[in-house]
Amino acid sequence: VDKSEAKRRLLSYRGGRSENDPEVEEALAVARQDPELEEWLAKQSSFHGGISRELRGIPVPAHLKAAILKEQIIIPFWRRAEFLLAAACLVLGLLLSAFWFGPAGEDQSFAGFRSRMVAFALREYRMDILTNDPAQIREYLRTHGAPADYSIPPTLGTTPEIGGARLSWQAKPVAMVCFKGSGKQTSFMFVLDQRAFDQGPLPGPNPERRSVRGVMTSSWIQDGRAYLLFSGEVPAPVAPAPSR
Amino acid sequence: MAQDTDFERLVNLYYPPLYRFAFSLTRQESDACDLTQQTFLIWARKGHQLNDANKVKSWLFTTLHREYLQQRRKMARFSDLEFSESESELPEIPPVPPGRFDGPAVLQAVSRLEPSFQAPIALFYLEDYSYQEIAEILEIPLGTVKSRISRGIAQLQNLLLAGEPRLAGKDCRG
């Protein structure tokens, strides 16, 4: 075993732990007889210790434990509902909505809203109404208290609408309008009142592009409404309502 | 009631290491919180299926890692990210490992590691797990774990020695 091979074998050696690997044992024997290699090994050990300390020092958010324990409340409902399947679906849907859009401890800035909406689309989104008729989508949103006076941005041109939903973020109504993109792409437009944001900067009147969770988003303010637009290939929506 | 107490005890024991593992993978507080919460949610639903009480911790780590991979696969549909395994050889081992570094530099360097190296490296340093345990948690062969950890360490050292690593992605925390 030459020096370079010994280094390769000992690169991940953590003092006192050879992982029962004869190759490592052999390299250790070489290192014990080579002062330069021994010194290198000591520096490696110090490096490993330093990286461990830094990673173990990552601060844990104070609210996290309470948030996890709060979710546990879901479980008894869920288990009991095994006998009442229909009721369980409803409860689970509500709880999931609370999970994704709940106000507790969440970043209440526009950035928080943007991040939450992208996460919603990435994971499993739902549509309340499935139709290609823009007027029906607008009417549905209006009658359910969501912003319905939105303007379709020119970038979407004649892209057909496929549905929408009335969502909630920080207890504020959010309009979601979905568009059929090319191929399997779906475009999502979220609209809510700009006064919903208590903190943090808002986008300006010109679309502001920002990558969130790997998704390129565009956001802007128009006529008192905050808009968020992005496209992507997403799973089919959860339990879409039938066409109306 | 006893079930609630057990759950709380489990959360007390494991939520900090799970969060740190999640954060070392995502580098975003909100994503790491989501992953940690989701992991315990899955435990609450399926944990009773685990027969060996000694494996609770590794079960939680495995579950968190699975969730992370699942989310990355979904995100990959939105971007051009590649997750294929690098076939590159062991990067050149620096003559002397970096001697001084701080937390942000370490996190940035970990985030710039090849994706397949990140989880093994995080478990290696965060939890002092053996190779065998890491292999079981990540559900990959032992030889693959050894190789990824060696290559990951060499890459980490080179990144830290190269000075301030570039950010792999912009931090989205408002």
Side-chain angles (χ1 to χ4, degrees):
Chain A
V1 178
D2 64 15
K3 201 175 280 189
S4 134
E5 174 62 15
K7 281 185 176 181
R8 189 190 66 76
R9 292 184 187 183
L10 294 174
L11 189 59
S12 57
Y13 173 71
R14 292 174 285 189
R17 295 180 60 160
S18 66
E19 305 269 355
N20 297 320
D21 187 335
E23 284 197 342
V24 173
E25 297 285 0
E26 193 179 11
L28 277 173
V30 172
R32 279 186 209 109
Q33 290 167 12
D34 183 330
E36 189 195 323
L37 202 52
E38 206 162 22
E39 190 188 352
W40 175 86
L41 193 55
K43 285 179 178 166
Q44 286 294 335
S45 176
S46 166
F47 171 79
H48 294 322
I51 299 288
S52 282
R53 272 192 303 280
E54 294 299 344
L55 290 180
R56 288 172 189 175
I58 293 171
V60 181
H63 70 272
L64 179 57
K65 182 182 160 188
I68 294 167
L69 292 175
K70 198 174 78 178
E71 283 188 355
Q72 163 70 349
I73 296 165
I74 297 168
I75 303 313
F77 279 106
W78 188 86
R79 285 184 182 157
R80 282 202 297 270
E82 283 179 344
F83 304 99
L84 298 164
L85 191 56
C89 290
L90 181 64
V91 170
L92 197 58
L94 290 171
L95 290 171
L96 282 175
S97 296
F99 174 72
W100 297 123
F101 303 111
E106 187 171 316
D107 179 356
Q108 295 183 27
S109 67
F110 182 82
F113 166 73
R114 181 170 50 203
S115 176
R116 189 53 77 185
M117 293 303 114
V118 171
F120 170 67
L122 277 177
R123 287 168 175 132
E124 287 179 337
Y125 67 97
R126 63 177 167 81
M127 287 192 214
D128 296 336
I129 177 168
L130 206 55
T131 174
N132 298 122
D133 183 350
Q136 277 193 43
I137 296 172
R138 206 179 279 270
E139 178 61 12
Y140 175 85
L141 292 169
R142 189 187 64 75
T143 54
H144 287 78
D149 54 351
Y150 49 81
S151 307
I152 306 294
T155 47
L156 286 171
T158 54
T159 312
E161 294 181 26
I162 54 175
R166 190 270 195 199
L167 307 175
S168 175
W169 179 80
Q170 301 290 339
K172 311 284 191 320
V174 178
M176 177 180 81
V177 185
C178 301
F179 299 82
K180 173 85 177 78
S182 58
K184 293 180 179 174
Q185 294 270 314
T186 302
S187 295
F188 299 87
M189 185 175 80
F190 297 88
V191 187
L192 85 167
D193 195 312
Q194 75 170 90
R195 289 170 299 184
F197 304 104
D198 296 336
Q199 53 184 242
L202 287 172
N206 296 318
E208 177 187 306
R209 285 166 64 77
R210 180 74 68 99
S211 174
V212 178
R213 297 169 190 251
V215 179
M216 187 51 70
T217 67
S218 183
S219 38
W220 66 96
I221 298 286
Q222 186 181 338
D223 300 330
R225 302 292 193 207
Y227 287 76
L228 170 65
L229 178 68
F230 56 86
S231 299
E233 189 179 320
V234 293
V238 173
S243 299
R244 299 167 205 200
Chain B
M1 190 64 192
Q3 217 171 36
D4 291 351
T5 313
D6 284 350
F7 184 81
E8 188 166 351
R9 188 180 58 80
L10 207 69
V11 172
N12 279 330
L13 277 174
Y14 300 130
Y15 89 93
L18 285 168
Y19 171 81
R20 291 190 181 105
F21 180 45
F23 189 82
S24 66
L25 297 174
T26 63
R27 271 193 71 236
Q28 291 199 35
E29 184 182 310
S30 59
D31 287 348
C33 284
D34 281 355
L35 274 173
T36 311
Q37 284 180 262
Q38 184 66 14
T39 301
F40 281 106
L41 195 62
I42 294 171
W43 168 264
R45 288 200 322 241
K46 298 184 180 172
H48 62 280
Q49 296 170 3
L50 183 69
N51 295 322
D52 187 349
N54 295 320
K55 295 204 166 171
V56 172
K57 187 177 179 186
S58 57
W59 188 97
L60 290 168
F61 274 92
T62 300
T63 302
L64 189 146
H65 185 245
R66 279 185 193 161
E67 285 297 300
Y68 168 71
L69 291 179
Q70 204 175 341
Q71 287 180 19
R72 290 207 61 163
R73 282 187 202 109
K74 284 183 182 173
M75 277 192 269
R77 287 194 292 240
F78 281 87
S79 65
D80 299 326
L81 289 175
E82 287 291 336
F83 298 106
S84 57
E85 175 84 9
S86 165
E87 296 301 330
S88 58
E89 296 295 316
L90 179 66
E92 193 178 338
I93 301 170
V96 180
R100 297 180 65 182
F101 37 79
D102 57 17
V106 170
L107 283 171
Q108 284 192 7
V110 169
S111 76
R112 289 204 62 214
L113 291 174
E114 286 186 37
S116 61
F117 298 168
Q118 287 173 354
I121 287 289
L123 290 174
F124 180 82
Y125 283 120
L126 272 170
E127 290 301 311
D128 227 14
Y129 276 127
S130 68
Y131 292 151
Q132 185 59 46
E133 287 169 321
I134 295 174
E136 285 169 15
I137 287 171
L138 301 180
E139 301 171 302
I140 52 178
L142 180 61
T144 308
V145 167
K146 286 183 184 176
S147 159
R148 287 183 185 177
I149 287 175
S150 282
R151 288 151 70 192
I153 289 171
Q155 205 176 78
L156 188 63
Q157 293 188 347
N158 282 312
L159 284 166
L160 286 167
L161 284 170
E164 275 196 29
R166 285 192 328 268
L167 280 169
K170 201 167 171 61
D171 195 332
C172 300
R173 282 176 288 170

